[in-house]
Amino acid sequence: MAQAMRPNTAGGLFATDGKPHPLQDTLLAVTLVLGITAFVTAMFHNLHLLSSWAGLVGILTGAYGQWISETTRERFGLILGLGASAIGFFLGMAHGGLFGGLF
């Protein structure tokens, strides 16, 4: 009954494994920032270049982050960032695309 004597310090659903994951945390932060940027700028028609490029890079970093993620917390944040990046990317593409108006 040794497990009865140890407190559950890991927490609930978003528990980490107690090890540092600097690469995964960096990819999580970058994906979230790019996702928020792409989502917010997609609401403005004239910012389609920023929203489409931020969305595309956010999708790529989020996909790689999902591939190497190790904890549920990382995967949850990456899915949020991926969703926001995808919405920003698709709306940016609908408003003019990656190179719209440059050529």
Side-chain angles (χ1 to χ4, degrees):
M1 296 297 286
Q3 67 270 18
M5 298 303 293
R6 284 187 232 151
N8 185 6
T9 59
L13 179 63
F14 301 113
T16 64
D17 57 356
K19 300 175 189 173
H21 303 119
L23 177 60
Q24 290 86 347
D25 292 339
T26 303
L27 287 171
L28 170 62
V30 168
T31 303
L32 284 173
V33 168
L34 288 170
I36 291 169
T37 302
F39 184 77
V40 170
T41 57
M43 303 305 160
F44 302 99
H45 185 76
N46 58 344
L47 295 177
H48 63 87
L49 289 173
L50 180 58
S51 64
S52 59
W53 279 106
L56 180 62
V57 175
I59 290 169
L60 295 175
T61 57
Y64 182 66
Q66 280 284 32
W67 187 45
I68 65 169
S69 67
E70 296 184 11
T71 64
T72 304
R73 178 184 55 88
E74 294 164 356
R75 293 182 189 115
F76 181 78
L78 284 167
I79 288 296
L80 291 178
L82 273 167
S85 295
I87 290 172
F89 174 71
F90 291 134
L91 287 175
M93 292 300 287
H95 290 159
L98 296 170
F99 302 106
L102 292 180
F103 298 110

